[in-house]
Amino acid sequence: MKLFFHFLLFCFFTLLFNTCSAGNVTYDGRSLIIDGQHKLIISAAIHYPRSVPGMWPGLIQKAKEGGVDAIESYVFWNGHELSPGKYNFEGRYDLVKFVKLVQQAGMYMILRIGPFVAAEWHYGGVPVWLHYVPGTVFRTDSEPFKYHMQKFMTLIVNLMKKEKLFASQGGPIILAQVENEYGTYYEKFYGEGAKRYSQWAAKMAVSQNIGVPWVMCWQEDAPDPVIDTCNSFYCDQFIPNSPKKPKIWTENWPGWFKTFGARDPHRPAEDIAFSVARFFQKGGSVQNYYMYHGGTNFGRTSGGPFVTTSYDYDAPIDEYGLPRFPKWGHLKELHRAIKLTEHALLKSKPTTLSLGPSQEADVYDDGSGVCAAFLSNVDNKTDMNVVFRNVSYHLPAWSVSILPDCKNVLFNTAKVGSQASVVKMVPEKLQPSVASQCKGLKTLKWDIFEENAGIWGVADFTRNGFVDHINTTKHATDYLWYTTSIIVGENEEFLKNGSHPVLLIESKGHALHAFVNQELQGSAFGNGSNASFKFENPISLKAGKNEIALLSMTMGLPSAGGFYEWAGAGLTSVKIQGLNNGTIDLSMSSWTYKIGLKGEHLRIHKPDRLNRVNWVSTSEPPKNQPLTWYKVVVDPPSGDEPVGLDMIHMGKGLVWLNGEEIGRYWPVKTSKHQECVQECDYRGKFFQEKCLTGCGEPTQRWYHVPRSWFKPSGNILVIFEEKGGDPTKITFSKRKISGLCSLIAEDPMAYKPKPTVHLKCPKNTSISNVKFASFGNPTGRCGSYSKGHCHDPNSTSVVKKVCLGKNECAIEVTEENFDKGLCPGTSKKLAVEAACS
Ligand code: GAL
């Protein structure tokens, strides 16, 4: 009786906390074995410092709702070990809290400790100070590197152990990773030290005794028991280095990252689903979306260089934490279908049957009635009808059908049943805080502080020639002033004929603003594929002494590549052309340097340090003025939608709210002469450049400001503008799902479930209007559907009757629900666009 009571108590608490206590984790050639059970795992990367603790529970929940079993994250060493032995595990870096939230959600955790991680994160996650520890070379057989790597790895492992977070201790962590893509991509750079290093890393990891398996991605010679894994857009053909190891896909990229000045990559939902279905069809066991929620590179954490502050990644959950439709919904349905095949997949070995030249079936049938089949068509153009077990199936090009009972198609990767959504950024003017409104101030009061163009305070040092930018700033700031002066004689021709000498600059990267006598003369910058650049601009010089002040900037430290930590930045040549003597070369002149800006140095973006400079108050802040700090006290935008700061009217710089670092802003436009797609053909192999949009548009207009950073009133927004903008046009924009769409074809052959249009508005909103509905042969895309020649005129009223005023609704796409006998011989669809409010 007592035992039974204890059992009930146990169940009660398990249910109450819904925690995921994984237990023993081992593996064989088929899959991970968790507590004696073979398992298929669908995992989702959410990097904890790329959102804020206030968002974590919601993101994890959305992943769970999306049919995901595990959350994966790298560990970000340079966010944790700020200087040797000085650690930070607070706020966005509260790793323990994050893992515990995953556990409380009843999910598993995959911890990719690295600690080299790449990830478009500055310096690939390795602390910058380590580069300056004598004798250190990153990621090779270098004693200081190995010493610090092991020290950090051990620290993280011990922290997880202390909190009982490994599955072996009853926690959620079922897998851990050491290093990242070293073997395949980077070993070649490091000669003999490379092999010694990778083998050492594997051994060092295993010796940590975490009780769960270790993985190394793209490490073909990963020694037992470490599992080598695959990262790619497709991993169905991947074979681990031992038949005793399961096939694991650590990075399936459902989109791609973006760099300033470049176009916006998208990966179609149909293709991602195809790749995942193929992976499980071909014996895959763990699949992780990198990223499932990309998030934000707050502050100066982005790498690259040139990776944008947004790390949205076109992921299933967008940067702001909203599900991205139809991607999120389509993958959710895929996950459901895969889960229904899990038992069959793990119970038997597949039989592969050819169904055509590029069509095949993999059948998992143990003869006992448990049977699942995957029918695939890898032809990238032609739809096919195939016959499987005497039944005919239609297989669209580049698709997989999942038959959890070897008979009925539950899911086809190319048929998107999920709704799509119309997402808007709704602007709201900056509002003065209630307190100032009470004092009668109806308009915003701006405080201004101007930086000097060049040395402020005491110069850091003077040198003949140039120093390397990164070696000088050590990433303490993005900014380094290179200043010199020249004397211009009265008799220079250009002074008489009104022409202008030309300033010629070469730089290893990343960006530059050139000032002469405090006036901005021009700017230049590199890009994500080539950080170096040239500057060539006419300048205004006067007779006598001219001050030349060049503001060199980094835009995120490199995050990967052989010996990436040695890549430099900053000026390599400065010349002036068009003087009486021709061209003068200033490269070896005496240059005086200043690291960073005065405002930065005084940390005037921090609420407790604001008074360290004399701000000048005005209701009309200067426009198009370089090197200007702006401060304004505002109220939060109304409502509870996620917020983006609209910086389209600003130039380039940094922005903070209440001392929290929003990040680098730069609405630089992409070239309108490049190629962009209107619609992406999901068929055929995907690659990063396949489906780009945003030609001629700002790379990043909105900058995510997490709601939890706002106070009810009196929020301090601080902006440092480098080259000039109009701060009065800054708005907070609220991200809203304003409409929903769905286009579903009828399928007279389908038994249950019948094809159905499902619409679901965000929480606390309902369907307020049906903007378009057509049962017939409508065409077009969400936002621009149009009727075809076949159309049931009652479509809108049918849909309205079912949906208006509801948070969600469903309509089966059958003739019974519409006009029976409409356009005989035409196969019909239902397209709906609805508004939510
Ligand atoms: C992979 C790398 C990840 C990330 C990804 C691109 O090669 O392992 O860390 O950089 O590329 O987003």
Side-chain angles (χ1 to χ4, degrees), residues 298-333:
F298 293 113
R300 298 184 303 111
T301 56
S302 77
F306 288 102
V307 171
T308 51
T309 301
S310 165
Y311 197 64
D312 178 84
Y313 221 89
D314 198 28
I317 301 179
D318 74 16
E319 177 179 7
Y320 295 84
L322 301 178
R324 172 169 275 118
F325 290 109
K327 197 173 272 188
W328 181 87
H330 192 50
L331 296 178
K332 174 180 167 139
E333 285 168 26

Coordinates of all heavy atoms in Angstrom, one line a residue, residues 298-333:
F298 N 22.7 39.9 -30.5 CA 22.7 41.1 -29.8 C 24.1 41.7 -29.6 O 25.1 41.0 -29.6 CB 22.1 40.9 -28.4 CG 20.6 40.5 -28.4 CD1 20.2 39.2 -28.0 CD2 19.7 41.4 -28.8 CE1 18.9 38.9 -28.1 CE2 18.3 41.1 -28.9 CZ 17.9 39.8 -28.5
G299 N 24.1 43.0 -29.4 CA 25.4 43.7 -29.2 C 26.3 43.5 -30.3 O 26.0 43.7 -31.5
R300 N 27.6 43.1 -30.0 CA 28.6 42.9 -31.0 C 28.9 41.4 -31.1 O 30.1 41.1 -31.3 CB 29.8 43.8 -30.8 CG 29.4 45.3 -30.8 CD 30.6 46.2 -30.6 NE 31.3 45.9 -29.4 CZ 32.5 45.4 -29.3 NH1 33.2 45.1 -30.4 NH2 33.1 45.2 -28.2
T301 N 27.9 40.5 -30.9 CA 28.2 39.1 -30.8 C 28.3 38.5 -32.2 O 28.8 37.3 -32.3 CB 27.2 38.4 -30.0 OG1 25.9 38.6 -30.5 CG2 27.2 38.8 -28.5
S302 N 27.9 39.1 -33.2 CA 27.8 38.5 -34.5 C 29.3 38.4 -35.1 O 30.1 39.2 -34.8 CB 26.9 39.2 -35.5 OG 27.6 40.3 -36.0
G303 N 29.5 37.3 -35.9 CA 30.8 37.1 -36.5 C 30.7 37.3 -38.0 O 30.0 38.2 -38.5
G304 N 31.4 36.5 -38.6 CA 31.4 36.6 -40.1 C 32.8 36.8 -40.7 O 33.5 35.9 -40.9
P305 N 33.2 38.1 -40.9 CA 32.5 39.4 -40.5 C 31.3 39.7 -41.4 O 31.0 39.0 -42.3 CB 33.6 40.5 -40.7 CG 34.5 39.9 -41.7 CD 34.5 38.4 -41.5
F306 N 30.5 40.7 -41.0 CA 29.4 41.2 -41.7 C 28.1 40.5 -41.5 O 27.1 40.8 -42.1 CB 29.7 41.4 -43.2 CG 30.6 42.5 -43.5 CD1 32.0 42.2 -43.8 CD2 30.2 43.8 -43.5 CE1 32.9 43.2 -44.1 CE2 31.1 44.8 -43.8 CZ 32.4 44.5 -44.1
V307 N 28.1 39.5 -40.6 CA 26.8 38.8 -40.3 C 25.9 39.9 -39.6 O 26.3 40.6 -38.8 CB 27.0 37.6 -39.4 CG1 25.7 37.0 -38.9 CG2 27.8 36.5 -40.2
T308 N 24.6 39.9 -40.1 CA 23.7 40.9 -39.6 C 23.3 40.7 -38.1 O 23.6 39.6 -37.6 CB 22.4 40.8 -40.4 OG1 21.9 39.5 -40.4 CG2 22.5 41.3 -41.8
T309 N 22.8 41.7 -37.5 CA 22.3 41.6 -36.1 C 21.2 40.6 -36.0 O 21.1 39.8 -35.1 CB 21.9 43.0 -35.6 OG1 23.1 43.8 -35.8 CG2 21.5 43.0 -34.2
S310 N 20.4 40.5 -37.0 CA 19.4 39.5 -37.1 C 20.0 38.2 -37.5 O 20.8 38.1 -38.4 CB 18.3 39.8 -38.1 OG 17.5 38.7 -38.4
Y311 N 19.7 37.1 -36.7 CA 20.1 35.8 -37.1 C 18.8 35.0 -37.3 O 18.7 33.8 -36.9 CB 21.0 35.2 -36.0 CG 21.8 34.0 -36.4 CD1 22.8 34.1 -37.3 CD2 21.6 32.8 -35.8 CE1 23.6 33.0 -37.6 CE2 22.4 31.6 -36.1 CZ 23.4 31.8 -37.0 OH 24.2 30.7 -37.4
D312 N 17.9 35.6 -38.0 CA 16.6 35.0 -38.2 C 16.7 33.6 -38.9 O 16.0 32.6 -38.5 CB 15.7 35.9 -39.1 CG 14.4 35.3 -39.4 OD1 13.5 35.4 -38.6 OD2 14.3 34.7 -40.5
Y313 N 17.6 33.5 -39.9 CA 17.9 32.2 -40.5 C 16.8 31.6 -41.3 O 16.8 30.5 -41.8 CB 18.3 31.2 -39.4 CG 19.5 30.4 -39.8 CD1 20.8 30.8 -39.6 CD2 19.4 29.2 -40.5 CE1 21.9 30.0 -40.0 CE2 20.4 28.4 -40.9 CZ 21.7 28.8 -40.6 OH 22.8 28.1 -41.0
D314 N 15.7 32.4 -41.5 CA 14.5 31.8 -42.2 C 14.0 30.5 -41.5 O 13.6 29.5 -42.1 CB 14.8 31.5 -43.7 CG 13.5 31.4 -44.5 OD1 12.5 32.0 -44.1 OD2 13.5 30.7 -45.5
A315 N 14.2 30.5 -40.2 CA 14.0 29.3 -39.4 C 12.5 29.1 -39.1 O 11.7 30.1 -39.3 CB 14.7 29.4 -38.1
P316 N 12.1 27.9 -38.7 CA 10.7 27.7 -38.4 C 10.0 28.6 -37.4 O 8.9 28.9 -37.4 CB 10.7 26.2 -37.9 CG 11.9 25.6 -38.5 CD 12.9 26.7 -38.6
I317 N 10.8 29.1 -36.4 CA 10.3 30.1 -35.5 C 11.2 31.4 -35.9 O 12.4 31.3 -35.9 CB 10.6 29.8 -34.0 CG1 9.8 28.5 -33.6 CG2 10.1 30.9 -33.1 CD1 10.0 28.1 -32.2
D318 N 10.5 32.5 -36.1 CA 11.2 33.6 -36.6 C 12.0 34.3 -35.5 O 11.9 34.0 -34.3 CB 10.3 34.6 -37.4 CG 9.4 35.4 -36.5 OD1 9.6 35.5 -35.3 OD2 8.4 35.9 -37.1
E319 N 12.8 35.3 -35.9 CA 13.7 36.0 -34.9 C 12.9 36.5 -33.7 O 13.4 36.5 -32.6 CB 14.3 37.2 -35.6 CG 15.2 38.0 -34.7 CD 15.9 39.2 -35.4 OE1 15.6 39.5 -36.5 OE2 16.7 39.8 -34.7
Y320 N 11.6 36.9 -33.9 CA 10.8 37.5 -32.9 C 10.1 36.5 -32.0 O 9.4 36.8 -31.1 CB 9.8 38.5 -33.5 CG 10.5 39.6 -34.2 CD1 11.0 39.6 -35.5 CD2 10.7 40.8 -33.5 CE1 11.7 40.6 -36.1 CE2 11.4 41.9 -34.1 CZ 11.9 41.8 -35.4 OH 12.6 42.8 -35.9
G321 N 10.2 35.2 -32.4 CA 9.6 34.2 -31.6 C 8.3 33.7 -32.1 O 7.6 32.9 -31.5
L322 N 7.9 34.2 -33.3 CA 6.6 33.8 -33.9 C 6.8 32.6 -34.8 O 7.8 32.6 -35.5 CB 5.9 34.9 -34.7 CG 5.6 36.2 -33.9 CD1 5.0 37.2 -34.9 CD2 4.7 35.9 -32.8
P323 N 5.9 31.6 -34.8 CA 6.0 30.5 -35.8 C 6.0 31.0 -37.2 O 5.2 31.9 -37.5 CB 4.8 29.6 -35.5 CG 3.9 30.4 -34.6 CD 4.7 31.5 -34.0
R324 N 6.9 30.6 -38.0 CA 6.9 31.0 -39.4 C 6.1 30.0 -40.2 O 6.4 28.8 -40.3 CB 8.4 31.0 -39.9 CG 8.5 31.3 -41.4 CD 9.9 31.6 -41.9 NE 10.2 33.0 -41.7 CZ 11.1 33.5 -40.9 NH1 11.9 32.7 -40.2 NH2 11.3 34.8 -40.8
F325 N 5.0 30.5 -40.7 CA 4.1 29.7 -41.5 C 4.4 29.9 -43.0 O 4.8 30.9 -43.4 CB 2.6 30.1 -41.3 CG 2.2 29.7 -39.9 CD1 1.9 30.7 -39.0 CD2 2.0 28.4 -39.6 CE1 1.5 30.3 -37.7 CE2 1.5 28.0 -38.3 CZ 1.3 29.0 -37.4
P326 N 4.3 28.8 -43.9 CA 3.8 27.5 -43.5 C 5.0 26.6 -43.0 O 4.7 25.4 -42.6 CB 3.3 27.0 -44.8 CG 4.2 27.6 -45.9 CD 4.5 29.0 -45.3
K327 N 6.2 27.1 -42.9 CA 7.3 26.2 -42.5 C 7.1 25.5 -41.2 O 7.2 24.2 -41.2 CB 8.6 27.1 -42.5 CG 9.9 26.3 -42.6 CD 11.1 27.2 -42.7 CE 11.4 27.5 -44.1 NZ 12.7 28.2 -44.3
W328 N 6.8 26.2 -40.2 CA 6.6 25.6 -38.9 C 5.5 24.5 -38.9 O 5.7 23.4 -38.4 CB 6.3 26.7 -37.8 CG 6.2 26.2 -36.4 CD1 7.1 26.0 -35.5 CD2 4.9 25.8 -35.8 NE1 6.6 25.5 -34.3 CE2 5.2 25.4 -34.5 CE3 3.6 25.8 -36.2 CZ2 4.3 25.0 -33.6 CZ3 2.6 25.4 -35.3 CH2 3.0 25.0 -34.0
G329 N 4.4 24.9 -39.5 CA 3.3 24.0 -39.6 C 3.5 22.8 -40.4 O 3.1 21.7 -40.1
H330 N 4.2 23.0 -41.5 CA 4.5 21.9 -42.4 C 5.4 20.9 -41.7 O 5.2 19.6 -41.8 CB 5.1 22.4 -43.7 CG 5.2 21.4 -44.8 ND1 4.1 20.6 -45.2 CD2 6.3 21.0 -45.6 CE1 4.5 19.8 -46.2 NE2 5.8 20.0 -46.5
L331 N 6.4 21.4 -41.1 CA 7.3 20.5 -40.4 C 6.6 19.8 -39.2 O 6.9 18.6 -38.9 CB 8.6 21.2 -39.9 CG 9.4 21.8 -41.0 CD1 10.6 22.6 -40.5 CD2 9.9 20.7 -42.0
K332 N 5.7 20.5 -38.6 CA 5.0 19.8 -37.5 C 4.2 18.6 -38.0 O 4.2 17.5 -37.4 CB 4.0 20.9 -36.9 CG 3.0 20.3 -35.9 CD 2.1 21.4 -35.3 CE 1.0 20.7 -34.6 NZ 0.6 21.3 -33.4
E333 N 3.6 18.8 -39.1 CA 2.9 17.6 -39.7 C 3.8 16.5 -40.1 O 3.5 15.3 -39.9 CB 2.0 18.1 -40.9 CG 0.8 18.8 -40.4 CD 0.1 19.6 -41.6 OE1 0.2 19.1 -42.7 OE2 -0.6 20.6 -41.3

